[in-house]
C-alpha cells in the first residue's frame, strides 16, 4: 500500500466505504460503474452495458493495482486514500497472464507460482497461487495446455460456482453488504 494512502487513512479514519463503483472483468480490466450503469444490473450479469467504462489511464490503473487488497471476509477493495472502494469481480480476484516459462503474472503486475491448476465446467482455467485464485487470460490457455502436456501442472476439475467459497473471496461485496 502506498505511504500516502496510509497517511490519509490515519488523518481521516472514518470515511465511509464505497460499493458498486469499481469492477474487475475476466480480462483484467478495471471498470468504473456510475449510478446509471449500476441501475442496469449486477457487474456479473450479461446485461449489456452493466460493466461500465473501462479505465484507460495508466497511472490510475497502477495506483489501483498497488492498493488492491482483501478484507477478512474475502471482499476485495482498492484503498483510495482513506476510503475503501470495494470491487465487483466478474470471475476471480486475479487475472493471470503467463510468460514463456509458465510464470503467472497477475493483472496487478505481481508474479507468483502455481499451487494448483483448475478447469471448470466451461473449460475456463484457474490458477491457485500464493496471491490467491485467478482466472487465466483466454490468450494464455494454450500455454496452460503446454504446461500440462510437459507434466508441470495437473489439471483438476472444478465447478465455477464453488470457487468463491473454496478460495475465500466474494464476487459482489455490494450484494453482501446490502443483505446485512
Amino acid at each position: 500500500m502506498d505511504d500516502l494512502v496510509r497517511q490519509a487513512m490515519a488523518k481521516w479514519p472514518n470515511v465511509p466505504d464505497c460499493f458498486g463503483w469499481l469492477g474487475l472483468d475476466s480480462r483484467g480490466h478495471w471498470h468504473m460503474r456510475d449510478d446509471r450503469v449500476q441501475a442496469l444490473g449486477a457487474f456479473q450479469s450479461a446485461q449489456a452495458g452493466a460493466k461500465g467504462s473501462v479505465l484507460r489511464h495508466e497511472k490510475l490503473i497502477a495506483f489501483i493495482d498497488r492498493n488492491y487488497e482483501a478484507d477478512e471476509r474475502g471482499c476485495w477493495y482498492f484503498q483510495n486514500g482513506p476510503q475503501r472502494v470495494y470491487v465487483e469481480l466478474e470471475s476471480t480476484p486475479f487475472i493471470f497472464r503467463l510468460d514463456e516459462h509458465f510464470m503467472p503474472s497477475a493483472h496487478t503486475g505481481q508474479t507468483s507460482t502455481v499451487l494448483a491448476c483448475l478447469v471448470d465446467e466451461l473449460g475456463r482455467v484457474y490458477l491457485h497461487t500464493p496471491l490467491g485464485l485467478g482466472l487465466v487470460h483466454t490468450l494464455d490457455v494454450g500455454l496452460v495446455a503446454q504446461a500440462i502436456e510437459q507434466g508441470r501442472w495437473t489439471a483438476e476439475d472444478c465447478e465455477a460456482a464453488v470457487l468463491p467459497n473454496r478460495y475465500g473471496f466474494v464476487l459482489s461485496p455490494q450484494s453482501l453488504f446490502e443483505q446485512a
Side-chain angles (χ1 to χ4, degrees):
M1 188 179 301
D2 290 359
D3 284 337
L4 287 174
V5 170
R6 283 191 186 93
Q7 291 169 13
M9 291 168 61
K11 188 172 183 179
W12 298 290
N14 298 316
V15 175
D17 296 333
C18 178
F19 296 93
W21 287 81
L22 185 63
L24 178 67
D25 73 14
S26 61
R27 298 190 58 86
H29 298 127
W30 295 107
H31 292 256
M32 287 298 298
R33 306 182 69 238
D34 61 20
D35 285 332
R36 181 192 60 78
V37 170
Q38 290 182 50
L40 294 174
F43 185 72
Q44 299 80 12
S45 77
Q47 174 70 28
K51 286 196 180 14
S53 302
V54 176
L55 293 181
R56 304 263 184 231
H57 192 279
E58 289 179 22
K59 289 185 179 181
L60 176 57
I61 293 168
F63 181 63
I64 293 171
D65 290 346
R66 286 192 314 271
N67 296 286
Y68 179 59
E69 299 181 0
D71 68 14
E72 64 283 349
R73 296 165 293 215
C75 296
W76 285 83
Y77 64 91
F78 152 54
Q79 189 69 47
N80 184 24
Q83 184 175 52
R84 281 188 179 181
V85 178
Y86 281 91
V87 177
E88 297 292 302
L89 303 173
E90 184 174 18
S91 57
T92 58
F94 293 101
I95 307 301
F96 289 117
R97 298 298 311 263
L98 300 174
D99 68 13
E100 65 276 3
H101 304 290
F102 312 111
M103 173 78 65
S105 183
H107 69 280
T108 58
Q110 299 162 287
T111 58
S112 196
T113 56
V114 176
L115 301 172
C117 175
L118 307 145
V119 180
D120 74 10
E121 64 278 7
L122 297 176
R124 292 175 294 206
V125 180
Y126 306 85
L127 298 178
H128 177 217
T129 74
L131 291 175
L133 187 73
L135 179 69
V136 174
H137 194 286
T138 55
L139 293 177
D140 293 340
V141 172
L143 288 168
V144 171
Q146 288 177 27
I148 292 169
E149 288 171 1
Q150 292 177 17
R152 294 173 183 248
W153 304 338
T154 301
E156 301 172 27
D157 290 334
C158 71
E159 292 180 34
V162 303
L163 294 176
N165 283 339
R166 182 174 171 190
Y167 290 95
F169 64 91
V170 175
L171 289 172
S172 178
Q174 182 176 19
S175 65
L176 181 72
F177 285 89
E178 286 172 352
Q179 295 171 1

